[in-house]
Amino acid sequence: MATSDFVLGGLASVGATFFTNPIEVIKTRIQLQGELAARGTYVEPYKGIVQAFVTVAKNDGMLGLQKGLAPALCFQFIINSFRLSIYSTAVEKRWMHNKQGEISYGLGLMWGAIGGVVGSYCSSPFFLIKTQLQSQAAKQIAVGFQHEHSSMSDALRQIWQKNGIFGLWRGSVAALPRAAVGSGAQIATFGKTKSLLQEYDLVTQPSCNSFCAGLIAGSIMSVAITPPDVITTRLYNQGVDAQGRGLLYKGWLDCFLKILKAEGVYGMYKGFWANYLRIAPHSTLVLLFFDELIAVREKYDLHY
């Protein structure tokens, strides 16, 4: 695995995150409102994406739309450094190709899932802090448990002091299904779609090919990832007791069953459209930036 692939994967995701973090703030708030309450029995401060943007800007200020940006950048850099460098290596080593020399969707799913799991586990503390900072809101529009962090560094300090290293990785194992499903679907779809678009001469210009493949991959990913994303958001944001145990959920399965019982299937897809509007452009931009950065590296022979 080339060091440059690792760095370029991280840089590609950082560039995309500046544009997509506001919609992730909205997505997180929608996923947390009405937690473990039946539909129609709770106040909804966030009734739709556009209304939610206005509500956050009005009550938290315009900067409220970029809450959690610092940990989001750290999270995205780490997870995509692993995901995209593993993907790139698998393509270069032809580990994603079948006996006929074609890119295999199944192998793409496997390598995408592996990259997602490794990256997710390593970046878990930043996802934890990102979620908790993004959920912080003015009292009148607050949803979910409200953590009292003033910044990313303050959150790291507080969690470390209260629960140690295990507190920073709380929920990390439960986040692995989200990473495996989302990353597998995205990477496999991206690689296969690029190959098909070229094979059938539908989109042959490299940048346009990457853009179209990234958009399709992001759409598939958003459908696959929303239920595990809701679970991960709930687990990371819940309050904990003195021993670091969650106040609402014991783990991934417990969270899944409680959401289904209290909120139904609808609860598993809370924030779907916000998630789609975040993932589709984010996926498109990340994969486009990654391909463009690789092209620059190849052009100027910047291997290291």
Side-chain angles (χ1 to χ4, degrees):
M1 184 189 302
T3 304
S4 58
D5 285 345
F6 188 89
V7 174
L8 295 182
L11 290 176
S13 64
V14 165
T17 302
F18 278 105
F19 296 98
T20 59
N21 190 62
I23 191 67
E24 181 154 21
V25 171
I26 301 303
K27 183 266 303 182
T28 299
R29 303 279 182 89
I30 293 175
Q31 288 179 340
L32 289 172
Q33 71 178 357
E35 188 168 12
L36 298 184
R39 192 175 181 182
T41 64
Y42 55 88
V43 176
E44 293 184 77
Y46 309 103
K47 297 179 176 62
I49 296 173
V50 175
Q51 181 268 349
F53 266 100
V54 174
T55 298
V56 173
K58 181 180 178 180
N59 291 275
D60 293 335
M62 291 302 293
L63 290 179
L65 291 168
Q66 284 290 13
K67 282 193 173 183
L69 179 61
L73 292 173
C74 294
F75 165 72
Q76 290 292 343
F77 183 90
I78 296 171
I79 190 172
N80 282 294
S81 292
F82 282 103
R83 285 190 335 110
L84 296 179
S85 58
I86 289 174
Y87 157 74
S88 180
T89 300
V91 171
E92 290 175 6
K93 300 291 185 181
R94 301 187 70 80
W95 296 338
M96 285 176 58
H97 295 70
N98 56 28
K99 294 180 180 179
Q100 290 73 41
E102 300 172 339
I103 290 180
S104 165
Y105 191 81
L107 290 173
L109 278 173
M110 183 187 75
W111 285 108
I114 290 172
V117 166
V118 173
S120 175
Y121 188 78
C122 293
S123 60
S124 184
F126 295 106
F127 193 102
L128 173 73
I129 294 168
K130 171 187 72 70
T131 302
Q132 294 181 1
L133 288 176
Q134 288 176 339
S135 70
Q136 286 183 343
K139 185 177 181 179
Q140 57 270 30
I141 59 168
V143 292
F145 190 89
Q146 295 291 291
H147 296 269
E148 298 180 358
H149 306 316
S150 59
S151 64
M152 181 176 76
S153 59
D154 179 59
L156 285 168
R157 180 184 58 79
Q158 284 194 43
I159 295 171
W160 176 273
Q161 288 179 347
K162 291 180 181 178
N163 304 114
I165 189 71
F166 294 106
L168 290 171
W169 260 269
R170 179 174 62 83
S172 58
V173 175
L176 300 186
R178 171 190 181 276
V181 170
S183 182
Q186 181 193 39
I187 293 298
T189 303
F190 181 67
K192 189 64 176 179
T193 302
K194 281 183 67 178
S195 177
L196 290 174
L197 290 175
Q198 291 173 339
E199 181 181 345
Y200 291 99
D201 293 325
L202 296 175
V203 184
T204 55
Q205 202 280 330
S207 295
C208 290
N209 180 277
S210 296
F211 180 86
C212 293
L215 184 60
I216 293 171
S219 299
I220 298 297
M221 181 183 181
S222 63
V223 174
I225 203 175
T226 297
D229 189 57
V230 170
I231 292 171
T232 303
T233 297
R234 298 282 182 88
L235 287 173
Y236 276 141
N237 191 68
Q238 71 173 333
V240 296
D241 61 20
Q243 287 72 44
R245 294 173 300 198
L247 298 178
L248 291 179
Y249 315 106
K250 297 176 183 177
W252 201 92
L253 181 60
D254 183 56
C255 183
F256 172 73
L257 293 175
K258 283 181 175 177
I259 292 174
L260 274 185
K261 182 179 179 180
E263 304 172 55
V265 176
Y266 168 79
M268 300 304 303
Y269 274 90
K270 275 188 176 178
F272 170 77
W273 289 112
N275 215 11
Y276 176 81
L277 292 175
R278 180 191 71 85
I279 288 173
H282 186 86
S283 172
T284 304
L285 291 171
V286 167
L287 296 171
L288 174 62
F289 289 166
F290 185 59
D291 273 3
E292 291 299 305
L293 288 169
I294 287 179
V296 171
R297 182 191 66 187
E298 298 299 325
K299 180 179 180 179
Y300 295 102
D301 194 23
L302 299 176
H303 291 271
Y304 54 91

